[in-house]
Amino acid sequence: MATDMGVSLTTGGGFSYTSRRPQHQSAVVAGYFRTLPSGSLPPQSFFLNSSWQSNRASPDVSAIGIGLYMMLRGSDDQAASGASASTPIVAGIVTLLNDARLRHGMPPMGPIGPFLYSAHHAGGFWDIVDGTNRCFETPVWTNDSTINDTCCRYGFRAVQGYDVVSGLGTPNFEMLLRHAIAVGRGSTVFV
C-alpha cells in the first residue's frame, strides 16, 4: 500500500463493474462510505459506470505481498512478490483453520467470505488505517523521478474498519482460530 511517497508495489483494490455485492459485504462497505472523509473518493467521471458503488468491493483481506523469500531447490535466495506471494499465505491460514475444525470433529468451512466478515467483528484482523492505492509499481526510480511518475491522480484510501485498500486487514490467526471453532459450535466470539 502506498503512502503517497512512491512504492515498489501496491494494492489494486476498488469496486467491480460486473459482480454484484455479496450480502456479507453490505454492512462493512456501507461503513466504509460513511467513514471516508468528504471529498476523498474519486469523482464519478473516474468510473466507467455509476453502478460501481453497489457492486462487489475488493479486496476481502490483506497479507504481506513483497519480498517473501522462498525455499526453492535447496536455496532461499529468491523472493516472491504480489498476489502470488500473499494469496498462498491466506490460503494456508484457511487450511489451518479447517484442520483445527476437523480435529474438533467439525466439518470444514464452506464458502469463506461470510466467515471472514463475521470474524472481522471477532477481532480476526489487524486493521490497516493509513495509505492509499493511487500509487503503483515503480519500474525504475531515478534521482529525477517525482511522485507524478508513480502515482495516479485518484485512488482509494485506507480508513478505520473495512476499506478497499486493505479489506478487513491482515489475519490475526489466534482470533480467527477461536472464531472458527466457536462458529462450528454454534456460538461466536467477540472481543
Side-chain angles (χ1 to χ4, degrees):
M1 164 168 27
T3 58
D4 291 347
M5 299 303 290
V7 294
S8 60
L9 191 68
T10 189
T11 177
F15 295 88
S16 173
Y17 286 121
T18 57
S19 299
R20 302 301 294 168
R21 180 171 306 130
Q23 181 62 39
H24 57 264
Q25 277 194 334
S26 293
V28 295
V29 174
Y32 175 61
F33 287 131
R34 281 192 309 273
T35 304
L36 279 172
S38 178
S40 63
L41 281 173
Q44 285 295 332
S45 61
F46 176 78
F47 301 97
L48 295 175
N49 62 53
S50 60
S51 68
W52 69 272
Q53 285 186 319
S54 61
N55 286 348
R56 191 184 199 309
S58 67
D60 292 312
V61 298
S62 293
I64 189 168
I66 190 166
L68 290 161
Y69 283 88
M70 307 174 294
M71 190 69 148
L72 296 171
R73 294 180 207 86
S75 174
D76 66 353
D77 62 353
Q78 280 191 302
S81 295
S84 299
S86 58
T87 301
I89 291 171
V90 176
I93 289 170
V94 172
T95 299
L96 291 171
L97 296 175
N98 278 327
D99 179 66
R101 286 172 57 97
L102 289 169
R103 284 186 283 111
H104 281 87
M106 300 171 193
M109 292 181 276
I112 198 66
F115 169 78
L116 294 175
Y117 285 82
S118 70
H120 172 64
H121 299 292
F125 298 92
W126 301 107
D127 197 9
I128 297 171
V129 299
D130 189 30
T132 72
N133 66 356
R134 72 181 199 96
C135 298
F136 54 92
E137 187 172 353
T138 308
V140 177
W141 189 264
T142 62
N143 287 339
D144 61 346
S145 295
T146 69
I147 199 73
N148 295 329
D149 295 324
T150 61
C151 294
C152 299
R153 185 171 178 190
Y154 303 112
F156 296 99
R157 69 177 31 221
V159 296
Q160 187 171 2
Y162 178 86
D163 56 67
V164 295
V165 176
S166 63
L168 298 166
T170 60
N172 176 343
F173 181 76
E174 181 181 331
M175 294 306 295
L176 287 173
L177 179 60
R178 288 177 57 194
H179 188 62
I181 300 303
V183 167
R185 291 184 175 142
S187 61
T188 57
V189 176
F190 291 101
V191 291

